[in-house]
Amino acid sequence: MNLASKHVLVVDDNAANAELLLDLLDDHGFTNVHGISDPRQVLAHCVKHKPDLLLLDIRMPFLDGYAIIDQLQQHFLHQMPPTIVLTAQIDDETRHRVLNMGVRDFITKPFLHEEVLQRIRNTLSLEHRYQVRDQQAETLERMVAKRTQQLNHQSRTDPITQLPNRRGLMQTLREASIGDSGTGLLFIALDHLDEAVRLHGYSIADQLVRHISQTLYSQLDSGSVLGLWGGSELLAITQCTDQPTLERLAAQLLGSFEQDQALGDLLIPLNARIGISWTTEFFNIERLVHMAALALPQKNSPQRIQSYNATLEAQQRRRLNLQQAIRGATQRGEMSLVFQPKISLTTQEIIGAEALLRWHHPELGHISPGDFIPLAEASGDILDIGDWVLEETMRHIVAWRRMGMLNDRFHVAVNVAARQLTRKDFAQKLLSRLATYGIPERFFALEVTESGLLSDMQNARLQLAQLAKMNVAVAIDDFGTGHSSLAYIQTLPFSTLKIDRAFVMDIDKSPVDRQLANMITQLAHAVGCDVVAEGIETASQAAYLHSIGCEAAQGYYYARPLPADDFVAWCNNRASTPPPLTAMELV
Ligand code: C2E
Ligand code: MG
Ligand code: MG
């Protein structure tokens, strides 16, 4: 460290004193020393050439040393040049006063050369060390700030697409929420991404997301932000708050999915759904995103774009309420079964019944199975409910057999949800339950919808095959409404096909429906299945179905689903009164 080149300023109104110090420093190799005898020039000098050390007399005319320190402090604040006071007074008061003002040291007059030099060197070298330390601290601070900025950016950026991630999006939304321009959101869910992962691996799937996000981003205006909300969900934040414009933008974005995505030699199909929300005022971020997510059309819905509206929310709330209310409903005795007879179209005899679930909630009232079954499937509650339905149905079968009501051709069918068929021990448990109740298998049947079979085909096939082997009839329900494929009824051990009500409803008016019903019946027969038609409401519907060879029918025309006692009464009544005109006679 070279102290000799440091800038030392000596201020003393007594020129002889100043000269003495300047000579002393000069003699000891200091090359940058300066003297001022008029205290009024000190500030100007310091502003121009800030000294590394100020040797300052206290007693001076015009401005004393205290006043100069004041001036310098006001000007330099914390960066005030280090100061040694030159004084003849060393009384306590002076000492306290100057120390309080931040002065580093004192030199007392008359000067002792060695001591003066040592004090000057001490202060300069201490100051030098402070400076070095300050510089290091500053460099460190800058480095930390830069790294923090990098880390911040990283934590807000998705590493694959380099787009903002959820944190980044939240920040953009936070900023937008306090601005006064409105905000519109497009919540974009990518479908089939998991299939791409399965087929091509993660690296291709990553490229795919990168590719599609670039394609989407290029269609947004410069004020919009696109980011990744989840693994297969993107969020576009725009300043547009006009519903039709947002919907047009959404439709334009969906256009990017019309063709398969080209990645090198690969062509990968990808699809998307978009939920839209917007607000023109200050907003709650989570709520706005939730609104867009709520509006997102369901995966299996034909609709691909939907804008938020209050009804959606009410529906959602109702769904949540129901989902909560379902839990424990069987134990609380809120569930019951009703039975709808199935009638042979040839003999008009009762050949069986379908057990249908009813739920009466003390506050929500009667809730249709069409509403609560899908919810119970989604939450898993259907497993317990399904067990309860099986038990309850078996209890009734035992009671009716005791009453001698069931002949050998009579069976009771129970609807089974997809979720139940994913159980590996479904068939085996069902069979042992029948054994416990002493019910021969032929009295029992199952109805399964096609969509239920799709989810875990392998296991469903296994379970159904076990049941078929033991003579439990299995029907495919609602045929024609799902992903209808006759291949199903060939590869799975079905004994019965139930034509959905949708095909029966308009049979009288629609030649196409008549033809369809006819074809389905012929094909079902070709693979050895009986056909039951659902939702028969008129005699002429029954007549037509009989004419095309459909074996059995079920519907309001014969009976609505009835509580167990009413069902028994209905069966007894029908047995004691002659059957109505046969369908053939009605034609
Ligand atoms: P599904 O198995 O196809 O049942 C037939 C539905 O059509 C029943 O509705 C029945 O009341 C109704 N129906 C019968 N005849 C007629 C008619 O002539 N006209 C009209 N318009 N409708 C008729 P429900 O009881 O509301 O059941 C709806 C669906 O809920 C059932 O369709 C079934 O998929 C499901 N479900 C009902 N009970 C259960 C159950 O215990 N477990 C499972 N997993 N699902 C059930
Ligand atoms: Mg059914
Ligand atoms: Mg059905």
Side-chain angles (χ1 to χ4, degrees):
M1 167 191 13
N2 181 15
L3 295 181
S5 63
K6 297 282 182 187
H7 175 31
V8 182
L9 177 64
V10 181
V11 179
D12 200 324
D13 62 315
N14 180 338
N17 269 346
E19 208 54 42
L20 190 77
L21 284 173
L22 291 175
D23 285 348
L24 179 70
L25 289 165
D26 198 37
D27 288 349
H28 284 84
F30 282 84
T31 54
N32 191 7
V33 291
H34 195 84
I36 292 178
S37 51
D38 182 349
R40 290 168 295 186
Q41 293 171 359
V42 176
L43 180 64
H45 177 94
C46 288
V47 170
K48 213 161 164 197
H49 308 285
K50 187 178 166 195
D52 293 308
L53 177 62
L54 177 63
L55 302 177
L56 180 66
D57 187 20
I58 288 289
R59 291 215 166 163
M60 291 184 290
F62 310 116
L63 276 177
D64 63 7
Y66 303 124
I68 289 183
I69 293 173
D70 256 356
Q71 271 189 341
L72 293 175
Q73 269 176 343
Q74 272 182 29
H75 183 82
F76 291 104
L77 303 171
H78 300 297
Q79 311 278 306
M80 151 101 183
T83 305
I84 296 178
V85 158
L86 311 170
T87 174
Q89 304 165 309
I90 44 166
D91 59 284
D92 279 356
E93 196 206 325
T94 314
R95 200 194 301 270
H96 273 133
R97 187 160 174 204
V98 291
L99 277 178
N100 273 342
M101 293 178 93
V103 156
R104 297 283 164 84
D105 207 353
F106 311 93
I107 296 176
T108 45
K109 298 174 188 179
F111 304 134
L112 297 172
H113 289 194
E114 273 315 305
E115 188 192 325
V116 166
L117 271 175
Q118 198 51 52
R119 285 186 187 275
I120 289 175
R121 285 204 183 99
N122 284 354
T123 305
L124 277 173
S125 84
L126 195 65
E127 188 58 25
H128 180 79
R129 260 181 278 158
Y130 283 156
Q131 271 171 13
V132 171
R133 192 202 57 191
D134 284 356
Q135 272 162 13
Q136 281 173 344
E138 229 171 78
T139 316
L140 190 69
E141 226 166 74
R142 261 202 310 277
M143 281 166 60
V144 169
K146 192 168 162 200
R147 187 70 190 127
T148 311
Q149 203 183 6
Q150 276 173 351
L151 288 174
N152 249 332
H153 178 75
Q154 267 171 26
S155 74
R156 283 184 273 108
T157 308
D158 170 62
I160 293 162
T161 56
Q162 292 304 316
L163 290 175
N165 59 13
R166 188 183 291 202
R167 278 182 74 169
L169 287 167
M170 286 297 276
Q171 185 176 337
T172 307
L173 284 171
R174 257 194 302 279
E175 285 156 13
S177 71
I178 44 178
D180 28 271
S181 65
T183 298
L185 295 187
L186 303 186
F187 195 98
I188 307 164
L190 301 176
D191 291 333
H192 309 312
L193 202 58
D194 42 352
E195 279 152 47
V197 172
R198 240 192 336 265
L199 277 173
H200 306 289
Y202 277 102
S203 141
I204 294 287
D206 285 352
Q207 285 180 44
L208 186 63
V209 175
R210 212 165 21 234
H211 170 77
I212 196 68
S213 52
Q214 275 159 10
T215 312
L216 296 178
Y217 187 64
S218 66
Q219 297 175 65
L220 298 176
D221 61 27
S222 58
S224 302
V225 172
L226 179 73
L228 239 73
W229 186 257
S232 56
E233 290 154 351
L234 294 150
L235 190 69
I237 306 172
T238 73
Q239 281 161 8
C240 171
T241 56
D242 171 55
Q243 183 179 353
T245 314
L246 283 166
E247 284 177 354
R248 266 198 305 280
L249 175 62
Q252 185 194 333
L253 295 183
L254 282 190
S256 315
F257 296 89
E258 269 162 18
Q259 258 145 33
D260 292 353
Q261 310 299 314
L263 281 187
D265 295 339
L266 291 174
L267 280 177
I268 307 178
L270 201 60
N271 214 339
R273 292 163 285 134
I274 301 185
I276 302 175
S277 70
W278 64 92
T279 176
T280 48
E281 42 194 61
F282 174 84
F283 61 91
N284 173 321
I285 299 167
E286 279 180 21
R287 168 126 184 82
L288 192 66
V289 177
H290 184 215
M291 279 157 68
L294 257 180
L296 195 68
Q298 297 284 311
K299 225 175 192 166
N300 48 10
S301 152
Q303 197 181 0
R304 306 260 95 201
I305 296 173
Q306 187 167 229
S307 289
Y308 172 83
N309 59 65
T311 324
L312 277 175
E313 192 148 12
Q315 277 169 359
Q316 173 83 355
R317 199 166 305 129
R318 182 176 147 82
R319 270 207 293 274
L320 279 176
N321 281 344
L322 286 186
Q323 216 156 26
Q324 261 159 16
I326 289 173
R327 197 143 295 169
T330 49
Q331 289 96 311
R332 292 193 299 272
E334 293 166 15
M335 298 273 185
S336 63
L337 289 181
V338 289
F339 300 88
Q340 187 175 37
K342 296 184 186 181
I343 309 294
S344 158
L345 282 171
T346 24
T347 65
Q348 300 301 308
E349 269 178 336
I350 309 168
I351 57 159
E354 176 177 5
L356 291 158
L357 194 53
R358 291 293 172 262
W359 180 22
H360 186 89
H361 186 272
E363 279 139 41
L364 302 168
H366 176 76
I367 299 137
S368 144
D371 286 341
F372 74 80
I373 296 281
L375 295 178
E377 283 206 53
S379 67
D381 286 306
I382 193 68
L383 294 176
D384 282 347
I385 296 175
D387 275 350
W388 182 87
V389 171
L390 292 175
E391 286 281 337
E392 192 69 4
T393 305
M394 289 183 199
R395 263 189 349 98
H396 281 108
I397 295 177
V398 170
W400 294 339
R401 283 187 74 212
R402 250 186 230 130
M403 291 160 65
M405 203 179 91
L406 308 189
N407 65 28
D408 277 356
R409 274 184 41 104
F410 193 103
H411 68 262
V412 182
V414 164
N415 292 283
V416 169
R419 222 24 208 264
Q420 292 173 271
L421 279 180
T422 60
R423 279 189 164 172
K424 301 274 180 271
D425 57 355
F426 176 78
Q428 184 235 316
K429 269 200 164 151
L430 179 79
L431 292 169
S432 63
R433 239 190 212 135
L434 285 171
T436 312
Y437 278 100
I439 301 172
E441 286 84 359
R442 65 168 184 283
F443 287 104
F444 200 80
L446 294 182
E447 295 188 8
V448 186
T449 55
E450 295 164 279
S451 61
L453 296 166
L454 277 172
S455 61
D456 185 358
M457 194 71 176
Q458 196 71 21
N459 188 53
R461 189 196 308 271
L462 245 126
Q463 302 302 317
L464 296 185
Q466 270 187 63
L467 294 171
K469 210 168 75 195
M470 299 304 293
N471 277 326
V472 174
V474 182
I476 182 163
D477 203 352
D478 303 340
F479 189 84
T481 56
H483 303 75
S484 290
S485 156
L486 281 162
Y488 270 141
I489 53 171
Q490 270 173 314
T491 57
L492 289 166
F494 289 118
S495 54
T496 308
L497 181 150
K498 290 188 83 175
I499 304 181
D500 192 70
R501 193 170 77 82
F503 292 86
V504 173
M505 234 160 45
D506 295 329
I507 260 176
D508 290 341
K509 291 176 280 180
S510 161
V512 176
D513 282 1
R514 274 201 295 279
Q515 200 185 358
L516 273 173
N518 194 355
M519 276 166 62
I520 294 172
T521 307
Q522 303 319 313
L523 283 164
H525 285 164
V527 292
C529 280
D530 283 355
V531 179
V532 178
E534 294 187 307
I536 309 296
E537 293 186 356
T538 65
S540 64
Q541 287 167 346
Y544 176 75
L545 289 160
H546 181 230
S547 76
I548 59 172
C550 180
E551 278 84 5
Q554 190 183 338
Y556 295 171
Y557 172 59
Y558 302 101
R560 292 194 171 244
L562 300 164
D565 291 346
D566 297 354
F567 175 72
V568 172
W570 188 89
C571 289
N572 289 337
N573 184 33
R574 192 172 166 94
S576 60
T577 53
L581 289 176
T582 66
M584 279 316 273
E585 285 161 335
L586 278 165
V587 176

